[in-house]
Amino acid sequence: MKTATPSRSGVSVRAILVGLLLVAVNAYWVGIASELWYSVYTLVNPFSNAVFTLAMLLVVNVGLKRWLPSMAFTSAELLLVYVMVTTVSTISGHAFMAILMGALAHPFWYATPENQYVELFHRFIPDWMTVGDPEQMRGYFDGGSSLYVGDHWRVWIRPALIWSAFICAVYGSYLSVSILLRKQWMEHEKLTFPLTQLPIQMTTNDTFWKSKALWVGFAIAASIRALNAAGDLFPV
């Protein structure tokens, strides 16, 4: 497959701004899909929501290349947005955020004299990193309320900011380790990174979308998925 070299760096202000916008959209989308619809997009790599987002950006880019060529995104910019969306999807998905939120609240909400949570380990949980008053968590567990009620967000804002800072530090360390190992992996061991091939080919290979095998494979997979979806809606 052919791979083109982008004409300028992908780390541009507009790419970051578009990425931040799409990060917010995807974080909400993945959260709602996994917790309300139980459609977990982040179970299989590459993430389907990130690939879809990249595909929609490519459609927009076709229009930009035709009518506003100077505004068209480069391959590097598109890949930067894809990486941002993929990274945040790992946080907002079912395997991370849902478990974290439950872990923060569970020890206090479900504490009873019988299970002796208070005596066993409450003293080991710092009060600044969670919400410890069961009454303040009633809306979270019972529903019928909203996070945006003043009393609720004032209680949750501190642990949310603290855990957000911790998550950023953890992901920053991942990035740092990757940078340290990049030369060894890419130049000496010649690793292929198969999960990166799809977004790279989508953005840099002009013949990718003209492949008949691609569309045949897509049609087969999409037909099976559409049939399964129809079965969910109309079981008979």
Side-chain angles (χ1 to χ4, degrees):
M1 295 184 179
K2 298 178 181 178
T3 302
T5 302
S7 58
R8 63 177 184 269
S9 171
V11 184
S12 63
V13 174
R14 67 169 188 165
I16 293 174
L17 293 176
V18 171
L20 290 174
L21 173 62
L22 293 176
V23 155
V25 171
N26 276 269
Y28 181 80
W29 180 20
V30 170
I32 292 295
S34 63
E35 300 313 304
L36 296 185
W37 309 334
Y38 209 73
S39 180
V40 186
Y41 299 147
T42 54
L43 281 179
V44 180
N45 281 311
F47 299 157
S48 56
N49 65 294
V51 174
F52 177 81
T53 300
L54 179 59
M56 293 300 98
L57 271 179
L58 287 168
V59 171
V60 172
N61 213 35
V62 170
L64 290 176
K65 287 181 177 178
R66 181 171 181 178
W67 291 293
L68 295 169
S70 62
M71 296 296 292
F73 293 100
T74 65
S75 299
E77 288 175 320
L78 293 170
L79 288 171
L80 173 63
V81 175
Y82 174 83
V83 170
M84 292 174 67
V85 170
T86 298
T87 302
V88 171
S89 295
T90 66
I91 301 172
S92 55
H94 180 75
F96 194 121
M97 192 54 64
I99 295 174
L100 174 61
M101 294 300 294
L104 292 181
H106 183 103
F108 301 96
W109 179 257
Y110 289 100
T112 65
E114 291 78 15
N115 58 36
Q116 297 183 334
Y117 280 2
V118 175
E119 294 82 2
L120 289 173
F121 55 77
H122 274 198
R123 64 184 181 276
F124 300 117
I125 305 176
D127 57 5
W128 48 265
M129 65 186 303
T130 186
V131 179
D133 185 354
E135 286 303 313
Q136 295 172 332
M137 294 183 284
R138 187 166 300 280
Y140 176 75
F141 283 96
D142 290 346
S145 185
S146 169
L147 174 65
Y148 304 106
V149 174
D151 291 339
H152 292 169
W153 71 260
R154 277 193 292 270
V155 171
W156 283 95
I157 189 66
R158 183 175 66 173
L161 290 174
I162 290 170
W163 281 98
S164 295
F166 174 72
I167 292 169
C168 288
V170 171
Y171 274 70
S173 67
Y174 292 161
L175 178 61
S176 300
V177 171
S178 297
I179 293 173
L180 291 174
L181 295 175
R182 182 204 64 81
K183 185 178 182 67
Q184 174 67 23
W185 284 348
M186 298 183 67
E187 298 181 17
H188 299 303
E189 298 183 23
K190 305 294 184 182
L191 300 183
T192 57
F193 302 101
L195 293 179
T196 66
Q197 295 306 308
L198 177 61
I200 288 175
Q201 294 302 321
M202 288 174 66
T203 55
T204 63
N205 185 0
D206 294 335
T207 64
F208 177 80
W209 299 102
K210 299 175 183 177
S211 169
K212 293 181 179 179
L214 167 72
W215 292 110
V216 169
F218 176 80
I220 294 172
S223 298
I224 295 173
R225 186 65 189 91
L227 181 62
N228 291 339
D232 290 338
L233 296 174
F234 307 103
V236 296

